[in-house]
Amino acid sequence: MNIVEQYWSSAVTRLQSEVEGFNKLIGHAGEQGRENELSLARLLENLIPRRLGIGSGVVIDCENRRSKQTDIIIYDLSDQPTLMAQSTQVIFPIEVVHAVIEVKTTLNAAEVVDCGKKKESIDALKPSGNQKSPHFSVLAYEAWAAPSTVATHLRDVPNTSQPDGICILNPGLLGGATAANFNFGLVPLHERGDDGARREASWISRERAPLDASVMEFGSRYPVTRVDRKYVAGEPGRALLLFCDNLLQALASRGAIPAPALSNYLTDAARELLPL
């Protein structure tokens, strides 16, 4: 495993520990959700260039249309009018917004629908220029059901409601809408060679379900989920790494940032998914 992948494996462990610790202390679901958003926002602040800002609020257009409340908004910091940021309810003109992210503690079927409605409310806004709609993605810490069930729900919503990118850290799921279909899969834990390198298309798996739905490998514990007739270990750190790389690529395609250097450090093996 290269140094970038090792770092992100540690980063997601810290992120999940931070969220779990806060959620044990605070029982109110609204407070839990907001702290989970802030944990992700802090990670993103260290990832994107300083000329982009991270906030939350409502996106508007010049025809007086507005989006639903949005968890995380990535916008052009240098072009954000300060007159729109004079209260806790920040309003962002669509022209300066490059990406939005919905954050869920546990993604369930109702929230899949809710995320779809929020994407539609963003896409309905019309910028004064010719730029594309903001990249819309979803990050959840947990899935409410088996990966195959999650995949079915995501594919059953209308194409216009499917997220451009989605990551579910536990058990390590990644996907997104394309022009042709909706790709979704498990980010599996690779077997390793004697030199520690990933073995392409070779995953850590078990014939039977582990008692605690996890396995200990390479000094860390990884979640296990059923795929076909085997129980395959997922790799949340790599799922988050690929999610962030996809986000940076989307920002680069809009001209918001240069081509991300991170992409150069991801091998073909590091990008492998197990389709669902």
Side-chain angles (χ1 to χ4, degrees):
M1 186 187 300
N2 68 34
I3 191 169
V4 171
E5 294 172 41
Q6 288 178 333
Y7 174 84
W8 278 82
S9 180
S10 299
V12 77
T13 298
R14 292 195 302 271
L15 185 65
Q16 288 178 308
S17 296
E18 185 176 335
V19 168
E20 289 169 4
F22 184 86
N23 288 350
K24 287 177 181 178
L25 292 173
I26 304 296
H28 189 271
E31 290 297 323
Q32 289 179 357
R34 184 56 188 151
E35 181 60 25
N36 294 348
E37 294 164 21
L38 292 173
S39 295
L40 178 61
R42 287 191 287 268
L43 183 149
L44 293 175
E45 284 172 350
N46 294 323
L47 181 69
I48 64 174
R50 295 293 181 263
R51 59 177 169 156
L52 297 181
I54 294 177
S56 65
V58 173
V59 185
I60 62 169
D61 68 10
C62 60
E63 298 296 329
N64 205 33
R65 289 177 287 247
R66 65 188 66 190
S67 74
K68 295 180 179 292
Q69 173 71 25
T70 303
D71 293 335
I72 292 179
I73 296 172
I74 299 177
Y75 63 97
D76 189 328
L77 188 61
S78 63
D79 204 23
Q80 167 66 4
T82 55
L83 61 90
M84 297 293 192
Q86 300 303 310
S87 68
T88 55
Q89 180 60 48
V90 183
I91 299 173
F92 298 85
I94 185 66
E95 288 82 4
V96 304
V97 176
H98 295 297
V100 297
I101 304 173
E102 279 298 298
V103 182
K104 302 296 183 184
T105 302
T106 300
L107 184 70
N108 59 34
E111 286 174 337
V112 168
V113 175
D114 179 65
C115 287
K117 290 180 179 178
K118 289 188 175 182
K119 182 180 188 300
E120 290 176 351
S121 77
I122 292 288
D123 289 347
L125 303 177
K126 303 300 180 185
S128 57
N130 296 319
Q131 73 252 42
K132 299 182 293 184
S133 292
H135 182 79
F136 183 93
S137 54
V138 177
L139 187 137
Y141 289 88
E142 302 276 348
W144 89 101
S148 58
T149 301
V150 177
T152 298
H153 277 274
L154 288 168
R155 290 191 173 105
D156 281 349
V157 300
N159 293 344
T160 54
S161 301
Q162 292 172 337
D164 300 312
I166 184 168
C167 176
I168 305 175
L169 293 178
N170 186 5
L173 303 172
L174 189 74
T178 67
N181 53 27
F182 187 84
N183 296 322
F184 192 70
L186 175 71
V187 180
L189 180 64
H190 286 88
E191 293 183 342
R192 307 289 168 83
D194 294 337
D195 60 354
R198 297 178 184 276
R199 291 180 175 171
E200 293 189 19
S202 183
W203 333 119
I204 299 291
S205 63
R206 300 287 187 270
E207 296 296 329
R208 296 183 179 181
L211 292 178
D212 60 353
S214 66
V215 295
M216 179 66 72
E217 294 287 344
F218 316 119
S220 299
R221 188 161 291 281
Y222 295 90
V224 170
T225 189
R226 184 172 182 176
V227 179
D228 295 328
R229 297 183 179 182
K230 288 191 174 183
Y231 294 86
V232 182
E235 191 173 0
R238 187 161 67 90
L240 182 60
L241 172 62
L242 293 175
F243 174 80
C244 289
D245 180 61
N246 290 342
L247 174 62
L248 291 175
Q249 290 283 1
L251 292 172
S253 72
R254 297 174 59 87
I257 62 171
L262 173 63
S263 301
N264 300 324
Y265 291 84
L266 296 175
T267 63
D268 289 342
R271 294 184 180 278
E272 284 186 327
L273 298 182
L274 188 55
L276 294 171

